[in-house]
Amino acid sequence: MSQELDALYQEIILDHYKNPHHKGLRDPFEAEVHHVNPTCGDEVTLRVHLVDGRVEDVSYDSVGCSISQASASVLTDLVIGKPVDEAMAIHESFLTLMQGKGTVEPDEDVLEDGIAFAGVAKFPARVKCALLSWMAWKDATLAVAQPVATLKETS
């Protein structure tokens, strides 16, 4: 990664950290989860509101490093308004990027500002920070979405 690109990515992360999108817990919601990264102490409480298979809202309250805070902000930008299946695909793309140890070329069309975390993937201790809100979102969404899927399968 070039130094200019690395600097741009750091700027994107700092901008989301200083100006977080969708932060603050809101009603209505169907599921709320609380996740902690025990290695650094970062915490997130996250709520999901789904309507007709679409992510209507994601709200959160969190404390932690710039990477975890910026990642939560980017997550909300990427999944709000999307069908759950599409949002889950975005989640998988971000997870693949983070687990790629810096070898995965991110798809900017899918991850948008999430590509800024490509450099974070080279630092295993920071990957958990970047994934904290994403794992919380997945858990909350599955808690809401799976009962519906189960009902559809049995009817």
Side-chain angles (χ1 to χ4, degrees):
M1 186 179 314
S2 74
Q3 287 184 338
E4 288 179 16
L5 191 56
D6 198 34
L8 174 63
Y9 286 176
Q10 288 177 8
E11 190 175 307
I12 291 169
I13 290 172
L14 285 175
D15 186 49
H16 275 277
Y17 172 65
K18 291 177 181 175
N19 307 294
H21 302 178
H22 308 282
K23 189 168 184 176
L25 295 173
R26 291 182 293 279
D27 291 327
F29 65 96
E30 288 76 40
E32 178 181 293
V33 296
H34 181 79
H35 282 216
V36 177
N37 181 349
T39 58
C40 66
D42 291 356
E43 295 184 33
V44 63
T45 300
L46 184 139
R47 292 178 176 174
V48 171
H49 178 47
L50 305 179
V51 175
D52 297 330
R54 180 172 295 275
V55 181
E56 189 73 19
D57 192 25
V58 177
S59 62
Y60 65 97
D61 189 22
S62 58
V63 292
C65 68
S66 60
I67 291 171
S68 69
Q69 304 302 295
S71 185
S73 177
V74 168
L75 161 77
T76 58
D77 283 349
L78 288 173
V79 301
I80 292 174
K82 301 272 188 335
V84 170
D85 290 348
E86 186 178 337
M88 284 292 177
I90 294 168
H91 173 276
E92 285 301 314
S93 293
F94 191 78
L95 184 62
T96 299
L97 176 65
M98 289 296 95
Q99 293 175 337
K101 299 179 181 176
T103 62
V104 174
E105 186 68 33
D107 185 341
E108 187 173 0
D109 292 337
V110 174
L111 293 177
E112 300 176 12
D113 281 354
I115 64 169
F117 293 86
V120 173
K122 297 175 188 171
F123 304 97
R126 307 313 305 218
V127 167
K128 287 183 179 179
C129 299
L131 287 175
L132 181 66
S133 59
W134 290 81
M135 301 315 276
W137 174 79
K138 183 178 180 182
D139 285 353
T141 301
L142 288 177
V144 178
Q146 282 186 334
V148 173
T150 302
L151 288 174
K152 286 181 181 177
E153 290 172 4
T154 58
S155 60

